[in-house]
Amino acid sequence: MAELAEEQARTGAFWADCVECIAEKRDKHSFMLLFDHFSPRVNAYLLGQGAESSMAEDLSQEALLALWNKAHLYSRDKAAVSTWLFRVARNLWIDRLRKQRGIAYESDENLAETVDDDARLNADGERLKAVLDTLPQNQAQVVYKSYYEGKSHSEIAEETGMPLGSVKSSLRLAMKAFRQHFGEGGL
């Protein structure tokens, strides 16, 4: 009997059942099984992404807390539990990095130069838009989705129906056009 339970525990269906128990019954036992199995894996993943140990632990707990609070949003037809949970952890990690970056900008001693910076950024934005408008439609679309929407190459390929290699080639050719227009030094 115990061997059967261990065998079941190794399948994705078992984990999906646990999430559904959490969603339907707020089942603490199912949550503990998920927590014990996935917490060290999510933590290791975040450490591999460059998070400090304490931050990785915090983000792992936040990801699993999100699983507890948002289990009703999980659909076994769309993704495995591991995929869903690692995506949540990745998004939390990115959000934390963005917040830290924002704090660094806000504490900058050169805040008095903000007006000049805004004017320069507006001019740079216009120059970028002008080059973007000269690109073939597929290259412009890939640049927009990658840099403005923050999508991965795989996500872009899935959304546009382009092969992954074509997405990468389009992005590479677009960057080449930007470098030719602005020079290697950039804006």
Side-chain angles (χ1 to χ4, degrees):
M1 184 81 166
E3 292 175 29
L4 180 61
E6 286 180 356
E7 185 64 31
Q8 245 189 339
R10 294 186 187 127
T11 68
F14 176 80
W15 298 121
D17 290 342
C18 286
V19 173
E20 288 173 359
C21 283
I22 294 168
E24 294 167 8
K25 304 178 224 167
R26 305 298 280 174
D27 184 52
K28 291 178 184 173
H29 177 71
S30 295
F31 179 73
M32 289 310 300
L33 289 171
L34 283 159
F35 188 91
D36 290 343
H37 181 77
F38 285 107
S39 182
R41 289 164 175 80
V42 170
N43 192 49
Y45 166 74
L46 292 167
L47 288 170
Q49 295 298 306
E52 294 176 12
S53 179
S54 62
M55 184 181 292
E57 287 178 28
D58 288 346
L59 292 171
S60 296
Q61 288 182 4
E62 284 182 44
L64 284 147
L65 180 62
L67 183 143
W68 174 260
N69 290 325
K70 298 181 180 184
H72 64 282
L73 298 175
Y74 172 74
S75 171
R76 72 171 64 216
D77 297 331
K78 292 184 180 177
V81 173
S82 58
T83 303
W84 188 70
L85 190 56
F86 280 87
R87 173 66 62 105
V88 169
R90 175 183 164 268
N91 291 345
L92 289 168
W93 169 236
I94 290 169
D95 289 346
R96 184 73 56 94
L97 289 175
R98 286 179 180 155
K99 283 180 186 174
Q100 285 180 341
R101 193 175 323 146
I103 291 168
Y105 291 142
E106 290 171 12
S107 64
D108 192 352
E109 294 177 13
N110 300 321
L111 287 178
E113 299 173 6
T114 303
V115 173
D116 292 338
D117 289 344
D118 286 347
R120 184 183 55 80
L121 287 173
N122 285 337
D124 290 346
E126 292 300 319
R127 292 172 59 201
L128 286 170
K129 185 173 179 345
V131 175
L132 195 59
D133 289 341
T134 66
L135 295 175
Q137 195 253 340
N138 66 327
Q139 290 177 18
Q141 181 182 29
V142 169
V143 168
Y144 184 83
K145 288 188 174 296
S146 180
Y147 290 96
Y148 291 94
E149 295 179 0
K151 300 208 170 155
S152 70
H153 296 169
S154 299
E155 290 170 326
I156 296 168
E158 186 177 313
E159 281 185 21
T160 61
M162 294 172 65
L164 182 59
S166 296
V167 169
K168 292 179 180 184
S169 295
S170 294
L171 193 54
R172 188 182 72 252
L173 290 170
M175 292 302 107
K176 182 178 177 185
F178 280 109
R179 279 193 294 277
Q180 287 174 343
H181 187 270
F182 295 111
E184 283 298 318
L187 297 171

